[in-house]
Amino acid sequence: MMPQSVYIHIPFCTNKCYYCDFNSFVTNNPQLIWDYLEALKREMELTFSQQPVTQVKTIFVGGGTPTFLDHEQMKAFLANVQDQLGKYWTSDIEFTMEANPGTTDVEKLRIMREMGVNRLSFGVQSFDNALLKRLGRIHDRDDVYRSIDNAKKVGFDNFSIDLMFGLPDQTVEIFRETLDRAFDLGTTHFSAYSLKVEENTLFHTLYQKDQLPLPSEDAELLMYMVLIEEMEKHGYQQYEISNFAKPGYESKHNKTYWLNDEYYGLGAGAHGYVGGERHVNAGPLAIYLQKCKEGLPRVDQFPVPREDAMEEQMILGLRLREGVDLERFAKRFGSTVEDVFGQIVKEEIAKGMLQEQDGFLKLTKQGLPLGNEVFARFLR
């Protein structure tokens, strides 16, 4: 069966946040954006002619900042998505677009809603204005409230908010206040991640110079435990290590990744997984644009060996709170988890990190904050 999920990358941003290592570019050249949208259209046409779509259950437009597109660009982009994929949408399609507060006026949101987008993922990160400035974000707390209000005005009722913790000079109290403000918005979903200092970012440069005052590991762990406790208290179920949702509002698209299912990946720097092969697109815009004129913009493509796929199934699946479906694993690979990873599982259960329950293997509460250590055991 062909993939039923589609990821599309829009790489443009108003500015580069200090922690960001995503494939994103700051530009004030509208022609470059139009050229990119034309190249993306060609990539979609060629991809779907070679690997035909049968059904589309989820679409996720990420970035960059997809809502950086102006009204006409947004219309053209979404018209192309509809032309290429609209007839394959299921009646319950989840069509998510990432959005930054401050880049979503009412008219743009109306265009998005009318052209099929039905879920928004806002990159909020914090409700502390001083911290937002510290991160290089262009918005403040009031922009968040305005953006959510504007979205509600045009009919959106499914929102996710991204939050970060473990930020420079962030305390548990500051993080608690951010959570309190976030809950006031009545959104349906939260993603919350600890800061990772990535290479080729301003934060990495500051870190190397010992000029990035990060919280201690104990303080960061406490923030994570507070996050879980407060989410549960406010009716958001933790369904993945970093993701929380009201019942029925889990991200269907992101579950595609955690279940290790296949998906189309389109746009500069995008990754895809189709027909047992993973591929990587060219990231730099000039190379991506040129490659799209010649054919598909791929710089790497490789089959996933069975052993690697089994490792991925375990590592990704254990991120889900429900864990790895043992029967599904056996059907997919013709071998059981016991056959392949029996000794590792036995040891991690003995350490109190894993448990088997109702046909699923999952992290225990004790294992949850130490997930990366458990995942590493499945890499051979």
Side-chain angles (χ1 to χ4, degrees), residues 249-317:
Y249 285 95
E250 297 86 357
S251 169
K252 295 177 191 173
H253 184 86
N254 286 341
K255 281 193 84 171
T256 298
Y257 304 142
W258 299 317
L259 291 170
N260 203 27
D261 288 340
E262 296 191 350
Y263 60 95
Y264 296 98
L266 303 152
H271 294 226
Y273 185 20
V274 184
E277 293 192 339
R278 292 194 182 274
H279 74 259
V280 182
N281 278 356
L285 281 181
I287 299 174
Y288 174 81
L289 295 175
Q290 183 57 41
K291 279 188 163 291
C292 282
K293 289 176 184 172
E294 300 163 356
L296 286 173
R298 296 177 181 176
V299 290
D300 198 8
Q301 185 164 341
F302 52 91
V304 179
R306 181 171 174 271
E307 294 73 19
D308 291 0
M310 289 191 290
E311 289 174 7
E312 290 169 356
Q313 193 82 14
M314 296 303 294
I315 292 166
L316 293 166

Side-chain angles (χ1 to χ4, degrees), residues 22-203:
F22 292 155
N23 192 49
S24 60
F25 308 93
V26 177
T27 183
N28 56 7
N29 178 0
Q31 188 55 51
L32 178 62
I33 299 170
W34 284 110
D35 290 347
Y36 179 79
L37 294 178
E38 188 58 38
L40 182 60
K41 182 179 179 181
R42 283 197 296 272
E43 185 195 356
M44 291 174 77
E45 287 170 350
L46 193 51
T47 297
F48 300 140
S49 68
Q50 292 183 6
Q51 298 165 319
V53 183
T54 52
Q55 192 176 57
V56 179
K57 291 184 174 179
T58 73
I59 300 172
F60 193 103
V61 184
T65 306
T67 48
F68 179 80
L69 300 181
D70 68 24
H71 296 173
E72 292 309 308
Q73 291 159 352
M74 184 65 77
K75 278 183 195 169
F77 166 65
L78 290 174
N80 179 38
V81 173
Q82 282 194 347
D83 288 348
Q84 302 279 340
L85 298 172
K87 59 182 171 228
Y88 304 110
W89 293 5
T90 57
S91 58
D92 61 346
I93 188 169
E94 177 192 88
F95 189 165
T96 305
M97 187 175 288
E98 288 184 339
N100 272 354
T103 63
T104 51
D105 60 75
V106 171
E107 182 55 27
K108 190 182 296 183
L109 286 162
R110 184 175 286 113
I111 291 165
M112 290 158 58
R113 189 73 189 90
E114 288 174 354
M115 299 187 76
V117 179
N118 58 16
R119 183 175 181 271
L120 295 172
S121 178
F122 282 104
V124 172
Q125 317 316 350
S126 177
F127 282 83
D128 183 276
N129 284 341
L131 260 183
L132 288 169
K133 203 172 261 189
R134 194 86 180 265
L135 294 172
R137 303 294 293 178
I138 62 159
H139 73 269
D140 62 19
R141 180 193 305 159
D142 291 340
D143 289 326
V144 178
Y145 297 134
R146 257 193 307 275
S147 295
I148 297 284
D149 284 345
N150 287 343
K152 287 177 178 175
K153 276 179 194 169
V154 302
F156 282 101
D157 58 7
N158 192 355
F159 305 96
S160 180
I161 282 181
D162 287 351
L163 298 174
M164 295 177 76
F165 59 94
L167 300 172
D169 286 327
Q170 187 182 36
T171 63
V172 175
E173 291 70 30
I174 289 172
F175 185 55
R176 275 188 185 278
E177 187 185 340
T178 274
L179 289 176
D180 288 343
R181 290 183 178 278
F183 293 136
D184 285 345
L185 291 170
T187 57
T188 49
H189 186 283
F190 287 99
S191 297
Y193 299 95
S194 62
L195 173 69
K196 296 284 184 290
V197 179
E198 305 285 4
E199 290 186 16
N200 303 315
T201 64
L202 177 60
F203 270 11

